[in-house]
Amino acid sequence: MRVLVVGAGVGGLAIANGLLGKGHDVHVYEHAEALRTTGAGITVWSNGTAALRELGVDIEQLGRPLRSLRSLADSGRLLWEADLDEVTEKLGSPTVQIPRRTLISAMAAALPAERLHFDRRCVAVAEHPDHVEVTFADGGVATGDLLIGADGQRSVVRKEVLGGDPAKLTGWASWQGLTRSELPVAYGHQTLNIAGRNAHCGLIPTGDGLLHWWFDMPWQEGDPVLGVAELREHFRGWPDPVDRLLASVTDDDLGFFPHIRHKVPQVWGGARSTLLGDAVHAMPPAVAQAANQTMEDAWLLTQYLGDVEGAPADLLRAYERERRPRALKVSRTALFTSAQRRTPIQRLAVFPKWLATRSQVATLRAGSNVLRALTPPRPGISMA
């Protein structure tokens, strides 16, 4: 089948790799003039690395393997720590931190250059009994058998085929960056999360001396966008190395991202179209699963479209029916986790390492289609 993909981000490039591997004629259309390699780091959990590996993209040597996930209170008190080496052993795939630009470049490099079309902004979609058409801002038209909307939270494809409301603000935002650092945490293998009331931050080694850092606080449309000076004041006295990190960065290093969430619809497309990733289930980053859920989408859709004998609409709806419960579960968990960040920190429980590790395994599996298919649960691990 000739498959049109709108969007050359993580989801668009992932599905293109998967479907080309199944023998489909795939073309990716991107509104920008080149690959969009901005952004900070991406934590690719066991479900994401498994999905990418199945799609033909192995990132294990391109990023920083993470072996521990540690959470502190803003007083410095240890809340919990999960052993990610044990998570890897139980789920069969590692957790890797990787710069977004490296991930995007690797997925694009795996595709023949003629499959990527830049400066093609989708403005309209028309579905017909035997084909689908995409119209671009320059007046050009592309025709195919199927259309996949991978064009992010402001998806034109979603608007064209489903209508409905755009993603809504959740009341939180992130200030984040990816910078070279001399701090020891940048050369380790541990994610450090620090939780305060109405504020959270994190530091994640990303390889080659790069450190991905983020600061989350409540934010509403119309509120000021803080600079580094305001962040230094707000987070003054937090556990080491927060003060040292903020002393080392400037406003030029800051990226600002309001948190959003889509209502996940029952049906994700038309007779010859569907959606994946942020186009259908944008979610706040509280559980760091947005990109991983996108990779899950691409993997499962590739499995269904490997059966080229089925009617397109039947294959697409089957993909959506199987994928939606997992994506919805993760989206709800992300929203709940974000809301819980207003809980007074002294009320947060302390968990033993074995329980935090087991919880991480169960949580990843519960929101994953690929892990459930590739690694059957061991006795004693919840499949909720």
Side-chain angles (χ1 to χ4, degrees):
M1 289 189 291
R2 183 177 177 86
V3 182
L4 312 179
V5 179
V6 175
V10 170
L13 296 174
I15 190 64
N17 273 283
L19 293 182
L20 277 173
K22 295 289 188 180
H24 293 292
D25 179 18
V26 184
H27 292 268
V28 182
Y29 300 91
E30 167 59 40
H31 72 85
E33 295 180 355
L35 285 174
R36 291 174 288 114
T37 55
T38 55
I42 294 177
T43 304
V44 187
W45 298 97
S46 295
N47 59 323
T49 53
L52 286 178
R53 186 176 61 239
E54 291 291 303
L55 293 168
V57 180
D58 190 345
I59 66 165
E60 196 167 345
Q61 303 305 314
L62 299 178
R64 188 76 168 175
L66 298 179
R67 295 173 179 158
S68 172
L69 174 59
R70 173 176 276 235
S71 180
L72 305 178
D74 57 359
S75 65
R77 177 170 64 103
L78 175 66
L79 297 174
W80 52 267
E81 182 178 354
D83 182 343
L84 296 183
D85 281 337
E86 185 174 340
V87 173
T88 296
E89 179 185 353
K90 292 185 180 300
L91 296 180
S93 291
T95 299
V96 175
Q97 182 73 10
I98 187 170
R100 184 183 181 277
R101 58 179 177 261
T102 303
L103 177 59
I104 290 290
S105 296
M107 289 195 291
L111 299 172
E114 67 272 14
R115 302 292 176 169
L116 297 172
H117 309 272
F118 296 102
D119 200 16
R120 305 302 298 277
R121 182 166 62 88
C122 170
V123 295
V125 172
E127 295 186 76
H128 303 279
D130 61 348
H131 70 282
V132 61
E133 293 179 351
V134 176
T135 301
F136 302 101
D138 61 5
V141 176
T143 301
D145 299 299
L146 292 179
L147 168 64
I148 300 171
D151 48 340
Q153 59 176 296
R154 300 180 182 87
S155 172
V156 174
V157 176
R158 177 181 175 126
K159 181 179 178 181
E160 287 288 297
V161 302
L162 295 182
D165 297 328
K168 295 182 179 180
L169 295 170
T170 68
W172 282 75
S174 293
W175 287 257
Q176 68 173 16
L178 179 67
T179 54
R180 295 201 177 277
S181 177
E182 296 303 319
L183 295 172
V185 67
Y187 297 88
H189 298 271
Q190 182 179 81
T191 290
L192 178 62
N193 292 340
I194 307 174
R197 185 177 186 183
N198 284 341
H200 278 231
C201 75
L203 302 93
I204 314 176
T206 310
D208 195 27
L210 292 170
L211 183 65
H212 176 200
W213 43 268
W214 50 267
F215 296 86
D216 286 359
M217 287 187 289
W219 185 87
Q220 300 287 346
E221 191 168 13
D223 287 352
V225 177
L226 304 182
V228 170
E230 290 88 355
L231 292 177
R232 288 172 183 158
E233 184 62 30
H234 192 94
F235 289 90
R236 188 181 306 280
W238 277 46
D240 189 64
V242 173
D243 284 343
R244 287 191 289 158
L245 168 67
L246 286 171
S248 71
V249 301
T250 70
D251 286 342
D252 291 338
D253 299 317
L254 276 182
F256 173 70
F257 300 94
H259 298 179
I260 58 169
R261 182 176 184 261
H262 266 134
K263 180 180 179 181
V264 184
Q266 290 283 345
V267 176
W268 296 2
R272 290 184 174 269
S273 65
T274 192
L275 304 169
L276 58 74
D278 282 354
V280 66
H281 49 61
M283 65 186 71
V287 293
Q289 269 288 317
N292 294 271
Q293 292 299 303
T294 299
M295 298 164 192
E296 291 258 6
D297 294 345
W299 173 79
L300 187 62
L301 183 54
T302 296
Q303 307 312 301
Y304 274 101
L305 294 183
D307 178 13
V308 296
E309 301 300 323
D314 293 341
L315 298 175
L316 298 179
R317 298 298 85 80
Y319 147 71
E320 295 162 10
R321 284 192 300 271
E322 184 171 349
R323 185 73 195 100
R324 183 179 183 272
R326 303 294 157 192
L328 182 60
K329 184 180 186 69
V330 175
S331 178
R332 287 173 172 169
T333 299
L335 188 65
F336 175 77
T337 302
S338 184
Q340 287 295 101
R341 288 178 168 181
R342 295 183 182 275
T343 301
I345 202 66
Q346 61 269 24
R347 292 177 55 190
L348 295 180
V350 178
F351 294 99
K353 191 171 185 177
W354 70 266
L355 181 58
T357 302
R358 180 170 177 175
S359 175
Q360 189 70 20
V361 171
T363 297
L364 287 172
R365 192 188 293 278
S368 175
N369 292 89
V370 65
L371 292 178
R372 292 163 67 88
L374 299 180
T375 58
R378 299 181 182 183
I381 296 178
S382 171
M383 288 289 289

